Amino acid sequence: MTAPAAATTPSPLTDLSRLSINTATTRQQWGLEQAVAGYAAGGVPGIAVWRDQVADCGLDRAARLIRDAGFTVTGLCRGGMFPAPTEAGRRAAIDDNRRAIEEAVALGARCLVIVSGGLADGSRDLAGARAMVRDGLAAILPEARAAGLPIAIEPLHPMYAADRCCINTLGQALDLCDALGPGVGVAIDVYHVWWDPALEAQIARAGGADGSGAGRILAFHICDWLVPTTDLLLDRGMMGDGVIDIPRIRGWVEAAGYDGLCEVEIFSAANWWQRDPEEVVSVCAERFLEVV
Ligand code: ZN
């Protein structure tokens, strides 16, 4: 028998001061204005928002509501989706990402979350798609740097490589950061990376253990992996209802120097999107203190 790995003990979470909720978690029940009010009423100090909800609310109004509520904006979702079969399509994606940068700045977001995009329509060229992602990011980085807005590459589980995101491991995301230079880091979502045997080492690398200097962990997203998972996109679990060792991963992330908020992000068509959103917020808060 091999001995169990030494436990990583993260700092205890004794209050909600490091809790953020991504509005995707209540998106079927609440628009942005309701989410802002509902999260604030639940004592949640952080929020992450989606561009479509911001557009529905109006950018200026959304920024004012969020500022008045005193939230830390842990991210704007999302930029990316760079691969396209035509030059015009790739240019349109880059232009859209430039608008996303402006929106993130107006909202005071800590980062713009990038979901890279998968294969270009009609293509089987995965390496080509990854090159389009690199080129797209390189094209928008000058604006992001000038605005002081960090770009957070979020690796997604490989089951999304074809249609959503061809950056599939933390190591791959960090290779991209190395290639692109300053102004770009990673969003670590336990749902997407929990299975990766290299995760602990890559989290340490993201914190600068490879000699790269400043920490590149820009966001930490939490939820849980249900067994069985019945939908590839819309069946994420509440923390504590699945099999991810969240405290262990949080310990690694904090040991790597990340001291920001933990952002609950749950897409759950059949369960949490069907519940009273105030209940969802209170369960997020309870579980945050119990199992994160
Ligand atoms: Zn995420």
Side-chain angles (χ1 to χ4, degrees), residues 22 113 154 156 187-189 192 221-222 236 263 265 267:
N22 185 305
V113 175
E154 181 166 352
L156 260 56
I188 297 177
D189 186 326
H192 297 300
H221 299 173
I222 54 176
R236 295 193 188 196
E263 175 186 319
E265 183 186 32
F267 305 82

Side-chain angles (χ1 to χ4, degrees), residues 214-253:
R216 291 180 291 190
I217 303 173
L218 300 173
F220 181 52
H221 299 173
I222 54 176
C223 68
D224 216 333
W225 184 279
L226 299 176
V227 181
T229 290
T230 59
D231 185 285
L232 294 186
L233 189 60
L234 302 179
D235 191 31
R236 295 193 188 196
M238 178 64 66
M239 299 81 72
D241 289 346
V243 296
I244 301 178
D245 188 345
I246 301 171
R248 180 175 295 249
I249 299 175
R250 183 169 71 83
W252 293 341
V253 166

